[in-house]
Amino acid sequence: METCNAEMKNQVEKMFCDLRSKSEGIVASSSIYKNASDRIMKLVSSRIAAESEGYIVDMYTLLTERIKQEAFFQDPNHLNAFYRLNLREKLNDKYHFEVDSLDAFQKGVDYKEINRLYASLGAAAGTLAVGEILKFAMSSVVNIPFTVIVAGAATVAFSSYFKIVPSRNKIAFKKAVDAFLSDLEHDILNWLADVECFFDGQIKTLYSQN
Amino acid sequence: MITSYKKAKEDVLNCYNEFLQVANQVHGIKDDRSLQSLATQAEKIKEDKFCLMIAGEAKSGKSTFINAYLGVEILPMDVRQCTSSVVEIRYGKEFILHATFADGREQECRGNESIKKFLVANAALDDEYRDIPVTTINNEIIVKYKAKKIPEEIIRDLIKGVERENIHKLPQDEYEKRIRMYIKTKQPSWMNVVVKIDIQYPFEDKEMRGVRIIDSPGVNAAGKVGDITATYIESADAIMFLRPITGVAIEAESFKEFLESKSVDRNKNAMFLILTRAAAESAETIDRAYEEFVKIFGAQKTDSRHGIAKEQIIPVDSKAEMYYNLFLNLSTEEIKGQMKILNAEKKAEPFLMAAWFVAAGEKDAFLRELKRYSNFEVIDQSLNRFGRKAQFLALSEFLGRILRMYAKIAANLREQIGNYKLKAKNPRKLAEKVDETSAALRDIENKMNETVDNIAVKYARSGNNGIIAKTAEEVMNAYLNEIKNIKGESDSSLDELEKISYRQVDKFIEFENKLQKKVVAECNEALVALSDRNSIEFITLEPDFSEDIVGEIKTSMREEATETESYTTGLTFKETHYRPVFSQHKFYHLVKDSILERMDEIKQQAIRDLRSFVQLAAVAYTKELRRNAEVKREELTRIKKEKRSADEIAEILKKLNELLGMINPKENFAKELKGGIDGNV
């Protein structure tokens, strides 16, 4: 389920549009495949990590504005109870991407290691889609840095191009990058829908108490 | 204005003790978060450390200066010193030396003799190689390549790069031959190059116990320092660059280049130029040389660079100070005996004889004369004035928090007095007041949550819509414009690019700090406005957002590394250092592209950190506010429920009024002290 909020959809779309055009530039200027995929992964993960923080702020604001319109929350005691739910903190804890550092990249991406991590996560989550894996990583005790998840997803997406000379395959490679970004966009929208769902679930507890 | 740090620190700690006397009598304050963090801060102030970095060309008298400054002879002075490593000296219970070699081996020496032996063996320069820049060769080639084959291109680059260090003007081919010979002989024993020396010494002088001295391996003639030295330079509280007052052409570039180097550029703390061996010169020569130095280096005072103020150029004589230290604890007769021996052995410097002559055999006058020659008192004064800025600021901040706590306690006492009076007069009215205040606190909480939400979204929203992202974009654009003008072909281009890039990182950090203050200030402003509308005093609700509490938020934001480290230790910046500094220009464009991509990552990281900070600060602010409101509510209810007779209430009121009366004079003392310290910083 993707988020149905048009404003958020628009923001996510804008970011992916920019990521697509930058990735295209990287594919065009790189002659070494490994180099290109490294740079794309860095670009995508650092940007999404930064934007995800903004999305949480946006989502919290949007959802809070919405509930404040409801008659129930016109009562200052109910409104106070809402604030005392600490939803900003809860969202922040639950949906905060762990980007320990970009160390994985600074030390050089270990494809085999990332692939192994990602595949084991995928096996546990039952899918190789980023959003699902993210959800799984957040809901369980597994603590995998976000960058590794993106790198893993990219590795899965680009794996067939590993041994192919890129000059002959730039179009195919570009297609793979596009597909990867589209999947990721879809997953981010799903992730936002999950945020909304969690928020609404928490609000329901307030109604039931009264 | 208070200029002695030692005195200011003592006064501030006394002030804190007085504050504790008051705080201990206040009901329910023991769990107060501000009180706990004040205690932590007081501990830090008690144990504060000062890191002084000593730099200078070889033979600039660094060892003698350090010994004279510390008042003990730790470093050997009678050998031509040439350590390739950083020597760190600090207080310890025993005299111990700990050395680390290039292959990671470690060695420990204890006691005077064994340490001296180690230092002479590992730091004395072989006479055969006295004309070549051994430190540079060790750091740039031997330690980096270890047993690996050194490419001819690298050796050629190095030889070209150290051309200016041919201080004895050997013919070029002879100079090159000696360098090659040194590399050939030294490389097989690369593992024996000492890369770090730690010395602990049991200083008797308590003042010295908080000082950490970093003796850097000589800067070369081009003002360049090794990577390890650079790291120390960046974090030193003060840097002293030593050079002889005469004997080396004033216009020699080393200091100027040192000032311009990227590591010095990153340190915003004080820089001093210490002109050594001043006692050997006439007053006229000293004045002339001094004026000349002021003219050359004083002129560099621009916003983005280290400027040297006149007061930060200090002519000194380390030998005069060492004689002072030596004679201080001798009787007049013993001094006479020593002087006779020195004279007979023809070891007495002319200034020593002159001082002895002027003093006419009188100990105190002799010591005064020696102090006048050494001029070391000026070093302490200047260090207090320019080098202790961070420490003075910490004292001021600490006092500021004590003052806020006084205000908070006083406001709470006033409220309590009012409530007890009401209880005595009309208990029902008090019950009504409790309900009214509770409702007012709830409304303040709701309003403040709303305000904090608005502030968070104003700063941290996604895309380019929030202040954070917009400002990051502006900072980035200014950076791109700045680096556009660097010419990649010049020798210093990469240094310049790195310098600008580091400054850029600092700008992000600066923005982060400013923003943190701004967010909290905006929240406080709203809280003041809301409290004004009620009878509740703002100070009793104000969440504590002092630096260490902000620090806690930042730690929870990133457990593993401080942002500065993770911003600057990325591969891109380090990558350039794997190559000898002399080859950098060849890699300019390659490195530039890589730095640009890294910069974009840093920008994203800064945006992410800042958004995360705003989120966490919003959470912390509202939580803290709620906690303070809760305390207030409980206090009110407590007074309401208490079963007290009229006499008991009168007794309580008397005690509360006494306590309130104690605060005012103590508060004034803290205010005056803070004013004096602020005048200094």
Side-chain angles (χ1 to χ4, degrees):
Chain A
M1 181 193 68
E2 284 185 7
T3 183
C4 47
N5 185 289
E7 201 180 317
M8 290 310 295
K9 257 187 174 172
N10 191 14
Q11 282 299 334
V12 175
E13 206 173 285
K14 248 183 169 170
M15 172 178 76
F16 275 94
C17 187
D18 189 42
L19 285 176
R20 258 182 214 105
S21 101
K22 283 194 172 136
S23 304
E24 211 169 289
I26 291 174
V27 174
S29 69
S30 300
S31 51
I32 305 163
Y33 158 76
K34 190 179 164 298
N35 191 343
S37 63
D38 265 10
R39 287 167 64 195
I40 293 172
M41 279 185 237
K42 269 189 209 179
L43 170 80
V44 173
S45 56
S46 72
R47 181 71 182 274
I48 293 185
E51 283 309 301
S52 66
E53 295 290 336
Y55 293 153
I56 301 213
V57 174
D58 289 354
M59 285 301 280
Y60 177 82
T61 311
L62 277 168
L63 298 168
T64 305
E65 285 303 318
R66 196 176 72 195
I67 69 125
K68 272 159 77 181
Q69 306 299 321
E70 292 175 24
F72 181 77
F73 291 103
Q74 301 307 313
D75 177 337
N77 286 325
H78 291 163
L79 187 62
N80 199 253
F82 161 72
Y83 283 126
R84 290 193 166 214
L85 271 179
N86 294 329
L87 280 179
R88 185 188 288 283
E89 188 178 16
K90 282 181 187 155
L91 288 187
N92 219 32
D93 284 350
K94 196 167 158 57
Y95 294 98
H96 180 85
F97 286 145
E98 206 47 63
V99 192
D100 284 349
S101 65
L102 298 177
D103 270 3
F105 294 113
Q106 286 159 11
K107 288 175 190 144
V109 174
D110 181 345
Y111 289 95
K112 271 189 193 154
E113 178 60 14
I114 280 175
N115 227 345
R116 193 189 59 75
L117 258 176
Y118 193 78
S120 61
L121 259 180
T127 169
L128 280 179
V130 189
E132 293 304 311
I133 287 190
L134 269 181
K135 246 193 252 174
F136 173 75
M138 284 181 309
S139 63
S140 67
V141 284
V142 196
N143 187 14
I144 308 277
F146 174 67
T147 41
V148 172
I149 295 175
V150 173
T155 310
V156 170
F158 309 156
S159 59
S160 49
Y161 300 90
F162 257 91
K163 286 168 191 153
I164 303 170
V165 184
S167 56
R168 267 189 276 149
N169 281 280
K170 273 201 172 162
I171 297 168
F173 182 47
K174 193 185 153 295
K175 264 191 187 165
V177 171
D178 276 347
F180 161 69
L181 288 174
S182 297
D183 280 354
L184 205 53
E185 183 174 350
H186 178 72
D187 291 331
I188 293 286
L189 290 171
N190 279 340
W191 174 75
L192 290 176
D194 203 53
V195 172
E196 200 171 338
C197 216
F198 173 78
F199 190 96
D200 290 343
Q202 291 281 310
I203 298 297
K204 268 187 198 143
T205 62
L206 288 179
Y207 289 122
S208 59
Q209 279 163 17
N210 283 278
Chain B
M1 195 164 91
I2 296 174
T3 52
S4 160
Y5 175 70
K6 189 186 160 206
K7 174 85 176 60
K9 181 174 154 178
E10 267 173 29
D11 287 350
V12 168
L13 290 172
N14 283 339
C15 186
Y16 173 63
N17 286 334
E18 285 201 351
F19 164 76
L20 285 183
Q21 284 170 12
V22 174
N24 285 338
Q25 297 179 54
V26 176
H27 176 265
I29 201 177
K30 283 205 171 61
D31 298 331
D32 194 287
R33 203 170 148 189
S34 306
L35 201 68
Q36 288 159 4
S37 56
L38 264 179
T40 322
Q41 217 176 340
E43 276 312 304
K44 272 191 205 155
I45 288 173
K46 271 183 212 157
E47 292 166 5
D48 68 349
K49 297 274 186 281
F50 187 77
C51 177
L52 178 61
M53 171 105 195
I54 310 290
E57 290 176 37
K59 284 190 83 177
S60 54
K62 283 191 293 159
S63 304
T64 317
F65 176 81
I66 291 172
N67 289 343
Y69 183 73
L70 294 173
V72 275
E73 204 178 317
I74 292 180
L75 302 172
M77 299 176 294
D78 47 358
V79 288
R80 221 186 104 98
Q81 267 242 273
C82 182
T83 38
S84 300
S85 69
V86 163
V87 181
E88 188 172 334
I89 306 167
R90 63 194 152 90
Y91 173 75
K93 284 193 177 125
E94 255 185 278
F95 190 15
I96 301 174
L97 178 146
H98 191 98
T100 313
F101 293 89
D103 60 349
R105 255 181 315 125
E106 294 186 358
Q107 188 182 332
E108 200 174 88
C109 306
R110 282 166 191 264
N112 217 349
E113 282 312 303
S114 134
I115 289 175
K116 208 150 252 178
K117 214 169 129 193
F118 179 90
L119 285 171
V120 171
N122 287 281
L125 179 65
D126 205 333
D127 240 15
E128 214 179 322
Y129 301 117
R130 59 193 290 269
D131 302 319
I132 58 166
V134 166
T135 307
T136 313
I137 305 171
N138 278 350
N139 286 330
E140 291 295 335
I141 300 259
I142 310 278
V143 173
K144 277 186 184 168
Y145 280 85
K146 299 187 167 76
K148 278 187 280 182
K149 189 178 170 356
I150 306 166
E152 173 57 24
E153 188 197 347
I154 296 291
I155 297 181
R156 270 206 305 270
D157 269 338
L158 173 97
I159 291 169
K160 188 174 174 293
V162 296
E163 263 171 19
R164 281 157 65 196
E165 290 182 59
N166 185 357
I167 41 172
H168 296 115
K169 305 273 178 254
L170 290 183
Q172 184 53 34
D173 53 343
E174 181 58 29
Y175 185 58
E176 184 174 336
K177 204 173 114 192
R178 283 194 202 181
I179 292 178
R180 286 183 185 275
M181 179 59 79
Y182 179 81
I183 296 174
K184 203 172 163 191
T185 353
K186 270 280 159 178
Q187 202 191 3
S189 55
W190 64 270
M191 65 294 273
N192 294 330
V193 174
V194 181
V195 289
K196 176 88 205 288
I197 296 177
D198 281 304
I199 297 177
Q200 289 183 32
Y201 191 87
F203 298 112
E204 276 174 33
D205 184 353
K206 278 189 183 161
E207 282 268 296
M208 285 299 158
R209 294 186 183 175
V211 177
R212 195 161 60 104
I213 302 258
I214 310 290
D215 177 14
S216 71
V219 214
N220 67 24
K224 292 213 190 268
V225 295
D227 290 349
I228 305 164
T229 311
T231 318
Y232 282 97
I233 288 176
E234 283 167 26
S235 61
D237 291 300
I239 306 163
M240 292 192 168
F241 190 96
L242 267 57
R243 56 166 304 153
I245 191 157
T246 56
V248 186
I250 278 176
E251 61 275 21
E253 292 284 283
S254 67
F255 181 62
K256 206 169 160 210
E257 303 246 3
F258 180 71
L259 275 183
E260 299 274 330
S261 73
K262 59 178 179 287
S263 41
V264 172
D265 187 78
R266 274 179 69 71
N267 188 320
K268 302 284 181 284
N269 292 325
M271 160 75 73
F272 298 86
L273 176 59
I274 306 291
L275 306 171
T276 57
R277 296 176 201 150
E281 305 298 333
S282 69
E284 199 189 330
T285 314
I286 295 174
D287 282 350
R288 210 177 39 233
Y290 176 72
E291 286 307 323
E292 195 66 19
F293 278 112
V294 170
K295 217 165 89 190
I296 300 174
F297 303 116
Q300 287 199 2
K301 203 151 194 164
T302 58
D303 280 340
S304 58
R305 278 182 213 163
H306 263 284
I308 291 274
K310 212 173 169 179
E311 297 87 338
Q312 283 160 274
I313 302 180
I314 309 166
V316 299
D317 197 285
S318 312
K319 274 206 173 154
E321 181 70 10
M322 290 199 66
Y323 279 124
Y324 173 88
N325 292 333
L326 173 74
F327 294 138
L328 185 64
N329 298 319
L330 298 187
S331 67
T332 310
E333 282 312 306
E334 285 169 327
I335 295 175
K336 270 184 194 164
Q338 282 286 331
M339 286 301 290
K340 263 187 196 158
I341 297 170
L342 285 167
N343 205 14
E345 290 175 351
K346 292 189 174 154
K347 280 185 182 164
E349 273 89 352
F351 76 83
L352 190 64
M353 295 312 289
W356 186 238
F357 177 74
V358 170
E362 206 255 309
K363 181 185 166 182
D364 287 347
F366 184 43
L367 290 177
R368 268 200 308 277
E369 270 300 288
L370 287 177
K371 261 288 176 211
R372 191 177 63 78
Y373 276 113
S374 86
N375 206 25
F376 267 53
E377 271 170 0
V378 176
I379 290 188
D380 277 339
Q381 286 162 12
S382 289
L383 268 183
N384 268 326
R385 192 156 161 219
F386 299 102
R388 295 269 192 189
K389 213 168 182 172
Q391 277 95 340
F392 273 119
L393 279 173
L395 292 185
S396 170
E397 210 251 340
F398 183 67
L399 283 172
R401 297 185 66 194
I402 289 182
L403 283 169
R404 274 202 302 281
M405 280 300 283
Y406 271 136
K408 189 174 172 180
I409 292 173
N412 276 328
L413 286 174
R414 278 194 298 270
E415 279 179 4
Q416 276 183 40
I417 291 170
N419 292 332
Y420 274 112
K421 277 183 181 165
L422 196 60
K423 186 180 173 86
K425 210 169 133 192
N426 188 346
R428 193 180 295 161
K429 267 251 162 83
L430 178 68
E432 277 169 23
K433 188 184 170 188
V434 173
D435 291 342
E436 273 170 26
T437 311
S438 280
L441 287 171
R442 179 204 60 205
D443 290 345
I444 287 182
E445 234 185 280
N446 285 354
K447 279 273 175 221
M448 271 316 290
N449 270 292
E450 204 172 302
T451 309
V452 168
D453 286 352
N454 290 339
I455 292 171
V457 80
K458 182 169 96 180
Y459 280 95
R461 58 193 303 193
S462 68
N464 262 350
N465 303 314
I467 292 177
I468 291 171
K470 268 189 200 143
T471 314
E473 190 72 23
E474 282 164 22
V475 175
M476 191 72 179
N477 287 340
Y479 164 74
L480 292 175
N481 265 335
E482 211 177 337
I483 61 165
K484 225 166 42 191
N485 303 322
I486 304 174
K487 290 188 177 67
E489 298 72 29
S490 91
D491 266 4
S492 58
S493 55
L494 201 52
D495 231 26
E496 191 59 26
L497 175 69
E498 274 196 58
K499 217 156 86 177
I500 297 175
S501 307
Y502 274 130
R503 274 189 212 148
Q504 174 74 9
V505 173
D506 289 341
K507 275 182 196 159
F508 279 125
I509 295 170
E510 209 178 290
F511 172 59
E512 185 160 332
N513 291 334
K514 265 193 201 157
L515 179 110
Q516 285 157 7
K517 288 193 181 114
K518 233 173 141 185
V519 169
V520 178
E522 282 191 31
C523 293
N524 279 343
E525 217 174 284
L527 186 56
V528 171
L530 281 173
S531 310
D532 280 353
R533 267 183 256 151
N534 294 281
S535 57
I536 298 158
E537 289 203 51
F538 159 72
I539 191 86
T540 61
L541 286 177
E542 183 193 7
D544 186 343
F545 259 82
S546 52
E547 267 179 43
D548 50 331
I549 287 169
V550 169
E552 272 173 35
I553 295 179
K554 282 159 91 178
T555 314
S556 70
M557 192 163 100
R558 181 173 303 148
E559 302 267 344
E560 292 197 344
T562 69
E563 74 269 39
T564 319
E565 274 164 2
S566 64
Y567 280 156
T568 54
T569 53
L571 182 66
T572 305
F573 288 136
K574 274 194 172 163
E575 194 174 21
T576 59
H577 299 163
Y578 292 136
R579 301 166 182 127
V581 285
F582 310 108
S583 315
Q584 283 182 357
H585 63 282
K586 294 187 180 171
F587 299 92
Y588 180 75
H589 290 291
L590 193 81
V591 175
K592 183 184 160 191
D593 290 346
S594 172
I595 283 184
L596 279 181
E597 277 186 17
R598 170 91 181 116
M599 258 318 161
D600 189 62
E601 261 176 69
I602 288 172
K603 177 184 133 188
Q604 298 299 342
Q605 200 177 327
I607 292 177
R608 178 178 192 274
D609 279 356
L610 288 168
R611 281 176 175 156
S612 179
F613 176 83
V614 170
Q615 281 274 61
L616 292 171
V619 169
Y621 196 95
T622 43
K623 260 190 166 175
E624 183 75 2
L625 179 76
R626 193 178 308 153
R627 209 182 62 89
N628 289 348
E630 216 52 74
V631 170
K632 201 177 256 308
R633 235 175 247 138
E634 278 165 18
E635 181 65 19
L636 268 170
T637 321
R638 180 181 67 85
I639 296 176
K640 187 181 86 172
K641 284 185 181 163
E642 265 179 1
K643 290 199 167 34
R644 299 275 188 199
S645 67
D647 286 349
E648 279 172 336
I649 291 177
E651 187 57 29
I652 291 171
L653 279 169
K654 194 179 154 228
K655 273 191 184 156
L656 290 174
N657 277 314
E658 271 171 12
L659 203 52
L660 193 60
M662 271 172 77
I663 290 178
N664 199 267
K666 291 183 197 298
E667 204 178 1
N668 285 342
F669 172 58
K671 262 185 206 156
E672 266 173 41
L673 197 56
K674 188 172 185 301
I677 291 172
D678 288 347
N680 197 35
V681 288

